[in-house]
Amino acid sequence: MPGESTPLDRNLRTPLTRNIHGDAAVSLEAYRNNGGYLGLQRALDMVPENITALVQEAGLRGRGGAGFNTGLKWSFVPGNDQYSGPRYLICNADEMEPGAFKDRYLLERDPHLLIEGMLIAASAINASTAYIFIRGEYHLAAQRLSHALEEAHRAGLLGKRILGRDFSLQIHVHRSSGNYICGEETALLNALEGRRAIPRTKPPFPQVSGLWGKPTVVNNVETLCNLPCLLALGADWYRQLGREDDAGSKLFGVSGRVNNPGVWELPMGTPVREIIENHARGMQPGFRLRGFLPGGGSTDFLAPRHLDLPMDYDVIGKAGSRMGTGTLMILDDHTCPVGLVLNLQRFFARESCGWCTPCRDGLPWVVEILERIEAGRGEKQDLILLRQLARRMAPGTTFCALAPGAAEPLQSSLKLFLSDYLAHIVQRGCPYGHSARPQSEPACAH
Ligand SMILES: Cc1cc2nc3c(=O)[nH]c(=O)nc-3n(C[C@H](O)[C@H](O)[C@H](O)COP(=O)(O)O)c2cc1C
Ligand code: SF4
């Protein structure tokens, strides 16, 4: 039975943060003393197909935003009987989504958890080379990762014949040059190959033709950090960590005018209200919650009536939004929703790779209209135009999900905060006393 001979306690509820007690990085010694690298040992006792099947059965869903079943994703990599060339594993640590900071927490504080997770994933897909593609600004995380990689090498946990088995892995840290689009998995592949970071057509999917045309798996940091305990303690243990349908625990973050902004590991399916009230300790005195983006800046706003929803991929999806990164952004009653959406759209417009028209030309147009409205020069027709532009950025209309993601806070704010948009137009100014300052740099980088 998985877990019986390990010092890892089956009552463990916080596998992602169990080693983290402060700001410092967990050393290899401390990591091993707390049951670290036992998941790897168990994986190395299994045939790769069984690791993939176990992860699929556990119901681990990718934590990078889309929530696709991780084991199922790995199962698309051709097996040894079909293909004998190189395969690659990539850890996506680009984390540039507005509002997201959960991966940084893991990267800086427990780099061995990620390294062990990558070893397990690489053994499942038969990869002997892996890359950590890390956001350029994450200097501390990159430094701590490099140190942990050296520690792992010295201990025989990386390199050739790991733990004496017929399995070798090299992990390289690659610093991103700094565009949000580099986090999109196929643009990331181009960036790693030294090309312009624009998304590739899918199919073929990276699992079949990825880095340098070879089978490649791209997984998020948090996804990979789930693997060590999952392997050590088994699929049943992992499934029961969640409270609703979705399995496992999750790093949930909260930002905005709450008393205790931060990030916490909680069961998948923890209700939004519990996250905000118990962990973020509620709204600051004098501030009322008006709405929230449940999964970062590229998700739809939800309303106070959604506060009792569990943070579970399907439930949040049915309510009209997305779990995304699981990092909640709170809108309070002193903050102008038009101004907030304008800031997000400025970010997305600047980060567009420029490949398709609704994104390259549509987003700067959205910014221009929102600036006009926020400055008190908007007209009612502008709202119709904004809705049309949001529709033209819907899924399926552009090459990648950047523009559809940008459309989500825009279109939902036009429904939820329509009275605020109208007040700007009727009162000829921002009712919150803001005025849209033109940016020092243009909304579009092209
Ligand atoms: C514009 C854009 C940026 C993205 N940035 C990230 C990122 O920084 N980190 C990440 O894990 N996924 C990011 N994604 C999602 C990835 O394309 C991909 O789905 C994810 O890395 C897969 O990992 P998972 O299966 O473990 O979730 C981004 C997607 C888009 C469209
Ligand atoms: S949606 Fe935007 S970022 Fe994505 S490919 Fe098109 S132009 Fe590039």
Side-chain angles (χ1 to χ4, degrees), residues 385-441:
L385 197 50
L386 282 175
R387 282 191 200 98
Q388 277 174 357
L389 286 166
R391 268 200 302 278
R392 286 188 185 137
M393 296 190 293
T397 57
T398 57
F399 213 67
C400 89
L402 186 145
E408 290 182 22
L410 174 65
Q411 50 142 14
S412 53
S413 71
L414 282 162
K415 283 186 205 144
L416 228 58
F417 310 117
L418 182 62
S419 58
D420 293 88
Y421 281 93
L422 290 169
H424 281 77
I425 293 166
V426 174
Q427 294 173 25
R428 296 256 150 242
C430 177
Y432 297 82
H434 305 166
S435 63
R437 285 186 301 275
Q439 292 182 293
S440 50
E441 8 175 358

Side-chain angles (χ1 to χ4, degrees), residues 28 31-32 36-44 48 51 74 89-91 111-132 148-149 151-153 155-163 167-171 224-225 227-228 231:
L28 175 58
Y31 185 74
R32 282 189 123 168
Y37 289 103
L38 288 169
L40 172 65
Q41 275 178 20
R42 181 138 294 144
L44 295 182
I51 306 174
W74 296 354
L89 171 73
I90 298 171
C91 166
H112 281 289
L113 186 67
L114 175 64
I115 295 170
E116 186 182 359
M118 290 183 74
L119 279 155
I120 294 167
S123 68
I125 63 162
N126 289 306
S128 53
T129 307
Y131 296 90
I132 301 173
L149 287 169
E151 279 185 312
H153 256 288
L157 293 159
L158 275 176
K160 294 220 163 76
R161 294 198 55 79
I162 291 163
L163 297 174
F167 169 59
S168 305
L169 185 70
Q170 293 292 346
I171 301 182
L224 293 161
C225 286
L227 298 170
L231 262 288

Side-chain angles (χ1 to χ4, degrees), residues 133 174 177 182 186-198:
F133 188 95
H174 181 98
S177 55
C182 293
T186 58
L188 185 157
L189 298 175
N190 277 348
L192 255 183
E193 289 181 9
R195 298 163 192 255
R196 183 178 161 193
I198 48 171

Side-chain angles (χ1 to χ4, degrees), residues 181 199 352-356 359-360 398-400 402-403:
I181 192 62
S352 164
C353 84
W355 200 249
C356 25
C359 183
R360 182 192 58 236
T398 57
F399 213 67
C400 89
L402 186 145

Side-chain angles (χ1 to χ4, degrees), residues 30 50 64 122 129 156 162 190 203 214 226 238 284 297 315 347 350 359 372 400-401 442:
N50 289 352
T129 307
I162 291 163
N190 277 348
K214 311 292 180 207
N226 273 271
Y238 186 79
Q284 289 174 13
V315 177
F347 171 82
R350 198 166 44 227
C359 183
R372 219 165 45 222
C400 89

